[in-house]
Amino acid sequence: DMLCSFFSIVGDPSKGFFCYAQGYSTHFFCVASFLWTTTIAFTLHRTVVKHKTDVEDLEAMFHLYVWGTSLFLTVIRSIGNDHRHLGGWCLTPTGRTRKAVQFVTFYAPLWGAILYNGFTYYQVIRMLNNATRMAVGMSDRAYQSDARADKKAMNRWGYYPLILIGSWAFGTINGIHDFIEPGHKIFWLSVLDVGTAALMGLSNSIAYGLNSSVRRAIYERLDQ
């Protein structure tokens, strides 16, 4: 998220090497950002639904999947593409064919990740709901308490699909509009596109960084 935002705000790069560096780096790290959320969804599903305990052994595969896929999509986008110096960014391709490539290499994987995360979290939350009902049926107070805590945590983790949708919905709409009417820019839609995408890292930090356990750990470090 940090690197995706950093390369997005470099601003007004030259027409040479730095133009390409900004455009491709932004694409690479923004793709990697939403791909990491699918590894979190996969981990939750594997541990909660399938009751597997081997997720730590898959860390190398996660890195290969995220960085490898991001690099592959960035390379595919670069083939036959000539980034133009458009305002403060070099990311925006010109021509309908190149805009179609942008959809294939960014927005298609993005919404695939959103659908995968949503479906996975649905299965995880349904599993926890069943566990809670079983605990109520057994009148096991300790188990009920654990189940409620797990459900609360899952509801918080379930913000990932919502954050992705909120961050990239206007970008998708703006991209579709730009593809249909390439000569007609809508200023307010472009502002919402850039503004909401830039909030993804902040939204993730609020959703997952401002919980009680993280605050408690910060207070302990400050006390030391």
Side-chain angles (χ1 to χ4, degrees):
D1 287 340
M2 181 182 69
L3 292 171
C4 172
S5 296
F6 171 77
F7 285 105
S8 296
I9 65 175
V10 168
D12 199 23
S14 66
K15 296 182 180 180
F17 169 78
F18 289 105
C19 183
Y20 286 91
Q22 185 207 29
Y24 294 134
S25 297
T26 302
H27 184 268
F28 176 83
F29 287 111
C30 289
V31 170
S33 178
F34 66 73
L35 287 181
W36 274 117
T37 67
T38 64
T39 67
I40 297 173
F42 174 85
T43 299
L44 291 174
H45 184 270
R46 191 168 180 83
T47 54
V48 175
V49 178
K50 294 190 175 181
H51 306 290
K52 301 289 186 179
T53 59
D54 60 346
V55 288
E56 290 186 359
D57 300 332
L58 301 176
E59 182 178 358
M61 293 299 298
F62 289 160
H63 280 282
L64 180 62
Y65 154 68
V66 172
W67 303 121
T69 303
S70 301
L71 180 62
F72 173 76
L73 292 175
T74 303
V75 170
I76 291 297
R77 180 174 181 169
S78 69
I79 297 176
N81 198 4
D82 181 21
H83 277 67
R84 301 292 183 183
H85 184 254
L86 183 63
W89 293 278
C90 281
L91 185 64
T92 305
T94 57
R96 289 196 172 185
T97 301
R98 290 168 182 169
K99 290 181 184 297
V101 172
Q102 182 186 20
F103 274 102
V104 171
T105 58
F106 187 82
Y107 288 107
L110 168 66
W111 285 95
I114 292 173
L115 292 175
Y116 173 77
N117 289 355
F119 177 74
T120 301
Y121 284 119
Y122 168 76
Q123 288 190 317
V124 169
I125 292 174
R126 186 178 64 174
M127 181 81 175
L128 290 175
N129 286 335
N130 292 336
T132 303
R133 284 194 293 268
M134 289 177 59
V136 171
M138 295 185 298
S139 298
D140 189 338
R141 293 184 178 274
Y143 191 71
Q144 287 181 41
S145 178
D146 291 341
R148 282 195 296 268
D150 288 341
K151 185 178 179 181
K152 184 178 180 180
M154 291 300 170
N155 288 334
R156 178 179 289 272
W157 291 327
Y159 291 147
Y160 264 130
L162 298 180
I163 290 173
L164 281 176
I165 292 173
S167 297
W168 295 108
F170 288 109
T172 305
I173 295 171
N174 193 31
I176 294 173
H177 173 268
D178 196 28
F179 179 79
I180 296 174
E181 296 187 37
H184 179 221
K185 293 285 186 180
I186 301 178
F187 176 75
W188 63 266
L189 185 58
S190 298
V191 171
L192 290 174
D193 174 4
V194 177
T196 54
L199 291 175
M200 183 169 63
L202 177 63
S203 301
N204 285 336
S205 67
I206 291 174
Y208 308 103
L210 294 184
N211 57 63
S212 59
S213 60
V214 173
R215 289 198 301 269
R216 185 166 55 251
I218 293 174
Y219 293 149
E220 290 174 355
R221 293 298 178 89
L222 291 176
D223 289 339
Q224 292 176 1

